[in-house]
Structures are given as C-alpha cells and as structure tokens.
Amino acid sequence: MDPADVTGTAADSTDPLRALAAVSALRRLADQLENHQVEQALRQGHNWPEIAQALGVTRQAVHKKHARRIAPDLRERSPR
C-alpha cells in the first residue's frame, strides 16, 4: 500500500479496524525511517547526543534503541 494511502486509511474513522492496521503500518515505516536516519547521521559524523536532541530523547534512550540495529561498523561508537 502506498504511504499516502496508508495515511488516509489511518485517518478514516469509517472502518476502525482497517484504520488501526494502517496506523500499525505507519509505525513500522516510521521506525524503519528513524533507524535509517540515525545510521546516516552517525555515518556523517554526528554523535549520539546530537541525534538524541534531534529526536527529543536522551542520548541513552537513542543509543539503547538503535545501537544494535545499525550497521556493525557504527556500533562501536560510544555514546557521549
């Protein structure tokens, strides 16, 4: 399903179960996008505190969530 279609379906209250499934799909997509952008930020030299600030969370929270999901060559960077 196209992301625009999913967004419209998630906002449609005529079929709540279908809308909830769309919300779940959006959550998965947002999680994948976040992980990708965290990895890109690290590759471009940004540190965990900068990434955390951009996400509005603590550096510990972002490191805990993403350290195991990112490429192995980036995992060794310690949170600052």
Side-chain angles (χ1 to χ4, degrees), residues 34-48 50-51 66-67 69-77 80:
E34 180 180 313
N35 192 60
H36 173 75
Q37 294 301 345
V38 166
E39 189 168 307
Q40 291 306 308
L42 288 168
R43 287 194 185 285
Q44 291 180 17
H46 296 283
N47 59 34
W48 290 109
E50 291 172 316
I51 295 167
H66 292 284
R69 297 171 149 189
I70 58 176
D73 63 312
L74 298 172
R75 290 181 187 160
E76 298 306 313
R77 294 184 184 196
R80 296 181 196 165

PDB file of all heavy atoms in Angstrom, residues 34-48 50-51 66-67 69-77 80:
ATOM      1  N   GLU A  34      13.402   6.097  10.972  1.00  0.00           N
ATOM      2  CA  GLU A  34      14.211   6.615  12.076  1.00  0.00           C
ATOM      3  C   GLU A  34      15.532   5.876  12.154  1.00  0.00           C
ATOM      4  O   GLU A  34      16.601   6.496  12.267  1.00  0.00           O
ATOM      5  CB  GLU A  34      13.453   6.499  13.395  1.00  0.00           C
ATOM      6  CG  GLU A  34      14.230   7.022  14.581  1.00  0.00           C
ATOM      7  CD  GLU A  34      13.452   6.909  15.889  1.00  0.00           C
ATOM      8  OE1 GLU A  34      12.267   7.284  15.924  1.00  0.00           O
ATOM      9  OE2 GLU A  34      14.062   6.445  16.874  1.00  0.00           O
ATOM     10  N   ASN A  35      15.486   4.571  12.065  1.00  0.00           N
ATOM     11  CA  ASN A  35      16.710   3.787  12.142  1.00  0.00           C
ATOM     12  C   ASN A  35      17.657   4.152  10.994  1.00  0.00           C
ATOM     13  O   ASN A  35      18.856   4.344  11.202  1.00  0.00           O
ATOM     14  CB  ASN A  35      16.381   2.298  12.101  1.00  0.00           C
ATOM     15  CG  ASN A  35      17.577   1.458  12.468  1.00  0.00           C
ATOM     16  OD1 ASN A  35      18.101   1.573  13.557  1.00  0.00           O
ATOM     17  ND2 ASN A  35      18.017   0.636  11.537  1.00  0.00           N
ATOM     18  N   HIS A  36      17.116   4.287   9.802  1.00  0.00           N
ATOM     19  CA  HIS A  36      17.926   4.661   8.650  1.00  0.00           C
ATOM     20  C   HIS A  36      18.588   6.026   8.864  1.00  0.00           C
ATOM     21  O   HIS A  36      19.785   6.191   8.595  1.00  0.00           O
ATOM     22  CB  HIS A  36      17.061   4.680   7.386  1.00  0.00           C
ATOM     23  CG  HIS A  36      17.772   5.215   6.195  1.00  0.00           C
ATOM     24  ND1 HIS A  36      18.726   4.493   5.504  1.00  0.00           N
ATOM     25  CD2 HIS A  36      17.688   6.405   5.576  1.00  0.00           C
ATOM     26  CE1 HIS A  36      19.191   5.239   4.515  1.00  0.00           C
ATOM     27  NE2 HIS A  36      18.577   6.395   4.530  1.00  0.00           N
ATOM     28  N   GLN A  37      17.826   6.996   9.349  1.00  0.00           N
ATOM     29  CA  GLN A  37      18.370   8.339   9.533  1.00  0.00           C
ATOM     30  C   GLN A  37      19.370   8.408  10.681  1.00  0.00           C
ATOM     31  O   GLN A  37      20.330   9.182  10.615  1.00  0.00           O
ATOM     32  CB  GLN A  37      17.245   9.361   9.713  1.00  0.00           C
ATOM     33  CG  GLN A  37      16.382   9.532   8.474  1.00  0.00           C
ATOM     34  CD  GLN A  37      17.167   9.986   7.239  1.00  0.00           C
ATOM     35  OE1 GLN A  37      18.300  10.441   7.311  1.00  0.00           O
ATOM     36  NE2 GLN A  37      16.545   9.864   6.078  1.00  0.00           N
ATOM     37  N   VAL A  38      19.177   7.609  11.719  1.00  0.00           N
ATOM     38  CA  VAL A  38      20.166   7.541  12.800  1.00  0.00           C
ATOM     39  C   VAL A  38      21.479   7.022  12.230  1.00  0.00           C
ATOM     40  O   VAL A  38      22.556   7.582  12.490  1.00  0.00           O
ATOM     41  CB  VAL A  38      19.669   6.651  13.969  1.00  0.00           C
ATOM     42  CG1 VAL A  38      20.808   6.289  14.917  1.00  0.00           C
ATOM     43  CG2 VAL A  38      18.549   7.348  14.725  1.00  0.00           C
ATOM     44  N   GLU A  39      21.394   5.971  11.435  1.00  0.00           N
ATOM     45  CA  GLU A  39      22.600   5.412  10.826  1.00  0.00           C
ATOM     46  C   GLU A  39      23.272   6.439   9.912  1.00  0.00           C
ATOM     47  O   GLU A  39      24.495   6.604   9.941  1.00  0.00           O
ATOM     48  CB  GLU A  39      22.252   4.143  10.053  1.00  0.00           C
ATOM     49  CG  GLU A  39      23.467   3.411   9.583  1.00  0.00           C
ATOM     50  CD  GLU A  39      23.169   2.021   9.071  1.00  0.00           C
ATOM     51  OE1 GLU A  39      22.521   1.237   9.797  1.00  0.00           O
ATOM     52  OE2 GLU A  39      23.595   1.722   7.947  1.00  0.00           O
ATOM     53  N   GLN A  40      22.494   7.143   9.127  1.00  0.00           N
ATOM     54  CA  GLN A  40      23.061   8.156   8.233  1.00  0.00           C
ATOM     55  C   GLN A  40      23.728   9.285   9.032  1.00  0.00           C
ATOM     56  O   GLN A  40      24.790   9.768   8.658  1.00  0.00           O
ATOM     57  CB  GLN A  40      21.983   8.730   7.312  1.00  0.00           C
ATOM     58  CG  GLN A  40      21.479   7.740   6.283  1.00  0.00           C
ATOM     59  CD  GLN A  40      22.606   7.137   5.466  1.00  0.00           C
ATOM     60  OE1 GLN A  40      23.436   7.843   4.905  1.00  0.00           O
ATOM     61  NE2 GLN A  40      22.655   5.817   5.423  1.00  0.00           N
ATOM     62  N   ALA A  41      23.091   9.687  10.114  1.00  0.00           N
ATOM     63  CA  ALA A  41      23.669  10.739  10.960  1.00  0.00           C
ATOM     64  C   ALA A  41      25.020  10.298  11.520  1.00  0.00           C
ATOM     65  O   ALA A  41      25.986  11.068  11.525  1.00  0.00           O
ATOM     66  CB  ALA A  41      22.706  11.107  12.091  1.00  0.00           C
ATOM     67  N   LEU A  42      25.097   9.053  11.989  1.00  0.00           N
ATOM     68  CA  LEU A  42      26.359   8.541  12.509  1.00  0.00           C
ATOM     69  C   LEU A  42      27.413   8.476  11.412  1.00  0.00           C
ATOM     70  O   LEU A  42      28.563   8.847  11.626  1.00  0.00           O
ATOM     71  CB  LEU A  42      26.153   7.160  13.138  1.00  0.00           C
ATOM     72  CG  LEU A  42      25.395   7.158  14.469  1.00  0.00           C
ATOM     73  CD1 LEU A  42      24.995   5.741  14.845  1.00  0.00           C
ATOM     74  CD2 LEU A  42      26.224   7.800  15.566  1.00  0.00           C
ATOM     75  N   ARG A  43      27.027   8.039  10.233  1.00  0.00           N
ATOM     76  CA  ARG A  43      27.965   7.962   9.105  1.00  0.00           C
ATOM     77  C   ARG A  43      28.497   9.350   8.737  1.00  0.00           C
ATOM     78  O   ARG A  43      29.625   9.478   8.281  1.00  0.00           O
ATOM     79  CB  ARG A  43      27.315   7.323   7.892  1.00  0.00           C
ATOM     80  CG  ARG A  43      27.106   5.844   8.027  1.00  0.00           C
ATOM     81  CD  ARG A  43      26.774   5.173   6.707  1.00  0.00           C
ATOM     82  NE  ARG A  43      26.466   3.782   6.935  1.00  0.00           N
ATOM     83  CZ  ARG A  43      27.355   2.835   7.199  1.00  0.00           C
ATOM     84  NH1 ARG A  43      28.626   3.145   7.283  1.00  0.00           N
ATOM     85  NH2 ARG A  43      26.987   1.585   7.390  1.00  0.00           N
ATOM     86  N   GLN A  44      27.682  10.370   8.925  1.00  0.00           N
ATOM     87  CA  GLN A  44      28.095  11.727   8.586  1.00  0.00           C
ATOM     88  C   GLN A  44      28.837  12.414   9.735  1.00  0.00           C
ATOM     89  O   GLN A  44      29.146  13.596   9.659  1.00  0.00           O
ATOM     90  CB  GLN A  44      26.887  12.552   8.155  1.00  0.00           C
ATOM     91  CG  GLN A  44      26.323  12.094   6.820  1.00  0.00           C
ATOM     92  CD  GLN A  44      25.135  12.909   6.376  1.00  0.00           C
ATOM     93  OE1 GLN A  44      24.888  14.006   6.882  1.00  0.00           O
ATOM     94  NE2 GLN A  44      24.379  12.374   5.432  1.00  0.00           N
ATOM     95  N   GLY A  45      29.094  11.667  10.813  1.00  0.00           N
ATOM     96  CA  GLY A  45      29.915  12.190  11.895  1.00  0.00           C
ATOM     97  C   GLY A  45      29.164  12.794  13.066  1.00  0.00           C
ATOM     98  O   GLY A  45      29.782  13.312  13.992  1.00  0.00           O
ATOM     99  N   HIS A  46      27.854  12.721  13.057  1.00  0.00           N
ATOM    100  CA  HIS A  46      27.102  13.230  14.205  1.00  0.00           C
ATOM    101  C   HIS A  46      27.233  12.248  15.356  1.00  0.00           C
ATOM    102  O   HIS A  46      27.421  11.053  15.166  1.00  0.00           O
ATOM    103  CB  HIS A  46      25.629  13.439  13.835  1.00  0.00           C
ATOM    104  CG  HIS A  46      25.452  14.491  12.791  1.00  0.00           C
ATOM    105  ND1 HIS A  46      25.534  15.833  13.070  1.00  0.00           N
ATOM    106  CD2 HIS A  46      25.219  14.386  11.459  1.00  0.00           C
ATOM    107  CE1 HIS A  46      25.349  16.517  11.962  1.00  0.00           C
ATOM    108  NE2 HIS A  46      25.162  15.666  10.956  1.00  0.00           N
ATOM    109  N   ASN A  47      27.119  12.755  16.566  1.00  0.00           N
ATOM    110  CA  ASN A  47      27.256  11.889  17.731  1.00  0.00           C
ATOM    111  C   ASN A  47      25.887  11.600  18.346  1.00  0.00           C
ATOM    112  O   ASN A  47      24.871  12.175  17.969  1.00  0.00           O
ATOM    113  CB  ASN A  47      28.240  12.494  18.740  1.00  0.00           C
ATOM    114  CG  ASN A  47      27.805  13.861  19.226  1.00  0.00           C
ATOM    115  OD1 ASN A  47      26.616  14.143  19.370  1.00  0.00           O
ATOM    116  ND2 ASN A  47      28.767  14.728  19.492  1.00  0.00           N
ATOM    117  N   TRP A  48      25.894  10.681  19.296  1.00  0.00           N
ATOM    118  CA  TRP A  48      24.645  10.257  19.932  1.00  0.00           C
ATOM    119  C   TRP A  48      23.888  11.418  20.586  1.00  0.00           C
ATOM    120  O   TRP A  48      22.664  11.496  20.453  1.00  0.00           O
ATOM    121  CB  TRP A  48      24.906   9.135  20.936  1.00  0.00           C
ATOM    122  CG  TRP A  48      25.298   7.836  20.284  1.00  0.00           C
ATOM    123  CD1 TRP A  48      26.537   7.260  20.301  1.00  0.00           C
ATOM    124  CD2 TRP A  48      24.466   6.968  19.524  1.00  0.00           C
ATOM    125  NE1 TRP A  48      26.512   6.094  19.593  1.00  0.00           N
ATOM    126  CE2 TRP A  48      25.256   5.879  19.105  1.00  0.00           C
ATOM    127  CE3 TRP A  48      23.126   6.998  19.152  1.00  0.00           C
ATOM    128  CZ2 TRP A  48      24.752   4.829  18.348  1.00  0.00           C
ATOM    129  CZ3 TRP A  48      22.623   5.958  18.384  1.00  0.00           C
ATOM    130  CH2 TRP A  48      23.416   4.892  17.990  1.00  0.00           C
ATOM    131  N   GLU A  50      23.771  14.553  19.704  1.00  0.00           N
ATOM    132  CA  GLU A  50      23.122  15.349  18.653  1.00  0.00           C
ATOM    133  C   GLU A  50      21.894  14.635  18.093  1.00  0.00           C
ATOM    134  O   GLU A  50      20.852  15.255  17.861  1.00  0.00           O
ATOM    135  CB  GLU A  50      24.106  15.612  17.503  1.00  0.00           C
ATOM    136  CG  GLU A  50      25.234  16.540  17.863  1.00  0.00           C
ATOM    137  CD  GLU A  50      26.269  16.622  16.774  1.00  0.00           C
ATOM    138  OE1 GLU A  50      26.659  15.577  16.194  1.00  0.00           O
ATOM    139  OE2 GLU A  50      26.694  17.753  16.498  1.00  0.00           O
ATOM    140  N   ILE A  51      22.032  13.351  17.875  1.00  0.00           N
ATOM    141  CA  ILE A  51      20.914  12.554  17.352  1.00  0.00           C
ATOM    142  C   ILE A  51      19.779  12.545  18.368  1.00  0.00           C
ATOM    143  O   ILE A  51      18.611  12.718  18.012  1.00  0.00           O
ATOM    144  CB  ILE A  51      21.390  11.128  17.020  1.00  0.00           C
ATOM    145  CG1 ILE A  51      22.407  11.183  15.872  1.00  0.00           C
ATOM    146  CG2 ILE A  51      20.213  10.225  16.684  1.00  0.00           C
ATOM    147  CD1 ILE A  51      23.181   9.899  15.665  1.00  0.00           C
ATOM    148  N   HIS A  66      18.880   2.114  19.205  1.00  0.00           N
ATOM    149  CA  HIS A  66      19.448   1.957  17.871  1.00  0.00           C
ATOM    150  C   HIS A  66      20.797   1.266  17.787  1.00  0.00           C
ATOM    151  O   HIS A  66      21.175   0.818  16.704  1.00  0.00           O
ATOM    152  CB  HIS A  66      19.549   3.333  17.194  1.00  0.00           C
ATOM    153  CG  HIS A  66      18.229   3.911  16.881  1.00  0.00           C
ATOM    154  ND1 HIS A  66      17.455   3.486  15.827  1.00  0.00           N
ATOM    155  CD2 HIS A  66      17.512   4.878  17.493  1.00  0.00           C
ATOM    156  CE1 HIS A  66      16.331   4.171  15.794  1.00  0.00           C
ATOM    157  NE2 HIS A  66      16.342   5.020  16.807  1.00  0.00           N
ATOM    158  N   ALA A  67      21.535   1.170  18.858  1.00  0.00           N
ATOM    159  CA  ALA A  67      22.905   0.645  18.778  1.00  0.00           C
ATOM    160  C   ALA A  67      22.972  -0.752  18.167  1.00  0.00           C
ATOM    161  O   ALA A  67      23.888  -1.043  17.401  1.00  0.00           O
ATOM    162  CB  ALA A  67      23.560   0.658  20.153  1.00  0.00           C
ATOM    163  N   ARG A  69      20.697  -2.030  16.119  1.00  0.00           N
ATOM    164  CA  ARG A  69      20.002  -2.062  14.826  1.00  0.00           C
ATOM    165  C   ARG A  69      20.857  -1.527  13.687  1.00  0.00           C
ATOM    166  O   ARG A  69      20.549  -1.768  12.531  1.00  0.00           O
ATOM    167  CB  ARG A  69      18.742  -1.202  14.891  1.00  0.00           C
ATOM    168  CG  ARG A  69      17.727  -1.680  15.873  1.00  0.00           C
ATOM    169  CD  ARG A  69      16.672  -0.625  15.987  1.00  0.00           C
ATOM    170  NE  ARG A  69      15.379  -1.186  16.280  1.00  0.00           N
ATOM    171  CZ  ARG A  69      14.267  -0.502  16.264  1.00  0.00           C
ATOM    172  NH1 ARG A  69      14.274   0.773  15.950  1.00  0.00           N
ATOM    173  NH2 ARG A  69      13.122  -1.068  16.539  1.00  0.00           N
ATOM    174  N   ILE A  70      21.874  -0.766  14.006  1.00  0.00           N
ATOM    175  CA  ILE A  70      22.653  -0.104  12.965  1.00  0.00           C
ATOM    176  C   ILE A  70      23.766  -1.013  12.458  1.00  0.00           C
ATOM    177  O   ILE A  70      24.047  -2.056  13.034  1.00  0.00           O
ATOM    178  CB  ILE A  70      23.226   1.234  13.469  1.00  0.00           C
ATOM    179  CG1 ILE A  70      24.098   1.012  14.688  1.00  0.00           C
ATOM    180  CG2 ILE A  70      22.117   2.224  13.762  1.00  0.00           C
ATOM    181  CD1 ILE A  70      24.792   2.250  15.198  1.00  0.00           C
ATOM    182  N   ALA A  71      24.411  -0.590  11.392  1.00  0.00           N
ATOM    183  CA  ALA A  71      25.484  -1.365  10.785  1.00  0.00           C
ATOM    184  C   ALA A  71      26.581  -1.638  11.809  1.00  0.00           C
ATOM    185  O   ALA A  71      26.898  -0.787  12.633  1.00  0.00           O
ATOM    186  CB  ALA A  71      26.048  -0.609   9.592  1.00  0.00           C
ATOM    187  N   PRO A  72      27.172  -2.825  11.731  1.00  0.00           N
ATOM    188  CA  PRO A  72      28.203  -3.210  12.704  1.00  0.00           C
ATOM    189  C   PRO A  72      29.356  -2.217  12.826  1.00  0.00           C
ATOM    190  O   PRO A  72      29.870  -2.006  13.922  1.00  0.00           O
ATOM    191  CB  PRO A  72      28.692  -4.561  12.187  1.00  0.00           C
ATOM    192  CG  PRO A  72      27.541  -5.097  11.426  1.00  0.00           C
ATOM    193  CD  PRO A  72      26.872  -3.905  10.800  1.00  0.00           C
ATOM    194  N   ASP A  73      29.761  -1.585  11.724  1.00  0.00           N
ATOM    195  CA  ASP A  73      30.888  -0.646  11.800  1.00  0.00           C
ATOM    196  C   ASP A  73      30.569   0.612  12.598  1.00  0.00           C
ATOM    197  O   ASP A  73      31.459   1.329  13.007  1.00  0.00           O
ATOM    198  CB  ASP A  73      31.383  -0.282  10.397  1.00  0.00           C
ATOM    199  CG  ASP A  73      30.328   0.432   9.567  1.00  0.00           C
ATOM    200  OD1 ASP A  73      29.176  -0.047   9.515  1.00  0.00           O
ATOM    201  OD2 ASP A  73      30.663   1.451   8.938  1.00  0.00           O
ATOM    202  N   LEU A  74      29.288   0.865  12.844  1.00  0.00           N
ATOM    203  CA  LEU A  74      28.885   2.037  13.613  1.00  0.00           C
ATOM    204  C   LEU A  74      28.590   1.708  15.069  1.00  0.00           C
ATOM    205  O   LEU A  74      28.458   2.600  15.893  1.00  0.00           O
ATOM    206  CB  LEU A  74      27.651   2.688  12.988  1.00  0.00           C
ATOM    207  CG  LEU A  74      27.828   3.207  11.569  1.00  0.00           C
ATOM    208  CD1 LEU A  74      26.495   3.639  11.008  1.00  0.00           C
ATOM    209  CD2 LEU A  74      28.823   4.334  11.541  1.00  0.00           C
ATOM    210  N   ARG A  75      28.466   0.458  15.393  1.00  0.00           N
ATOM    211  CA  ARG A  75      28.068   0.033  16.738  1.00  0.00           C
ATOM    212  C   ARG A  75      29.102   0.367  17.801  1.00  0.00           C
ATOM    213  O   ARG A  75      28.757   0.556  18.950  1.00  0.00           O
ATOM    214  CB  ARG A  75      27.819  -1.470  16.773  1.00  0.00           C
ATOM    215  CG  ARG A  75      26.601  -1.856  16.027  1.00  0.00           C
ATOM    216  CD  ARG A  75      26.357  -3.328  16.099  1.00  0.00           C
ATOM    217  NE  ARG A  75      25.249  -3.633  15.206  1.00  0.00           N
ATOM    218  CZ  ARG A  75      25.009  -4.832  14.737  1.00  0.00           C
ATOM    219  NH1 ARG A  75      25.758  -5.845  15.085  1.00  0.00           N
ATOM    220  NH2 ARG A  75      23.992  -5.008  13.931  1.00  0.00           N
ATOM    221  N   GLU A  76      30.326   0.415  17.434  1.00  0.00           N
ATOM    222  CA  GLU A  76      31.394   0.612  18.416  1.00  0.00           C
ATOM    223  C   GLU A  76      31.522   2.043  18.901  1.00  0.00           C
ATOM    224  O   GLU A  76      32.239   2.310  19.833  1.00  0.00           O
ATOM    225  CB  GLU A  76      32.724   0.138  17.836  1.00  0.00           C
ATOM    226  CG  GLU A  76      32.727  -1.352  17.495  1.00  0.00           C
ATOM    227  CD  GLU A  76      32.329  -2.230  18.669  1.00  0.00           C
ATOM    228  OE1 GLU A  76      32.843  -2.032  19.782  1.00  0.00           O
ATOM    229  OE2 GLU A  76      31.499  -3.135  18.468  1.00  0.00           O
ATOM    230  N   ARG A  77      30.845   2.940  18.251  1.00  0.00           N
ATOM    231  CA  ARG A  77      30.911   4.339  18.706  1.00  0.00           C
ATOM    232  C   ARG A  77      30.215   4.459  20.039  1.00  0.00           C
ATOM    233  O   ARG A  77      29.048   4.132  20.168  1.00  0.00           O
ATOM    234  CB  ARG A  77      30.250   5.269  17.699  1.00  0.00           C
ATOM    235  CG  ARG A  77      30.987   5.307  16.404  1.00  0.00           C
ATOM    236  CD  ARG A  77      30.358   6.313  15.500  1.00  0.00           C
ATOM    237  NE  ARG A  77      31.046   6.264  14.219  1.00  0.00           N
ATOM    238  CZ  ARG A  77      30.957   7.187  13.311  1.00  0.00           C
ATOM    239  NH1 ARG A  77      30.202   8.246  13.524  1.00  0.00           N
ATOM    240  NH2 ARG A  77      31.587   7.080  12.179  1.00  0.00           N
ATOM    241  N   ARG A  80      28.217   9.615  23.810  1.00  0.00           N
ATOM    242  CA  ARG A  80      28.923  10.682  24.517  1.00  0.00           C
ATOM    243  C   ARG A  80      27.967  11.511  25.321  1.00  0.00           C
ATOM    244  O   ARG A  80      26.875  11.709  25.040  1.00  0.00           O
ATOM    245  CB  ARG A  80      29.646  11.582  23.532  1.00  0.00           C
ATOM    246  CG  ARG A  80      30.706  10.841  22.790  1.00  0.00           C
ATOM    247  CD  ARG A  80      31.385  11.804  21.848  1.00  0.00           C
ATOM    248  NE  ARG A  80      32.127  11.029  20.887  1.00  0.00           N
ATOM    249  CZ  ARG A  80      32.587  11.538  19.764  1.00  0.00           C
ATOM    250  NH1 ARG A  80      32.384  12.773  19.465  1.00  0.00           N
ATOM    251  NH2 ARG A  80      33.270  10.806  18.953  1.00  0.00           N
TER     252      ARG A  80
END
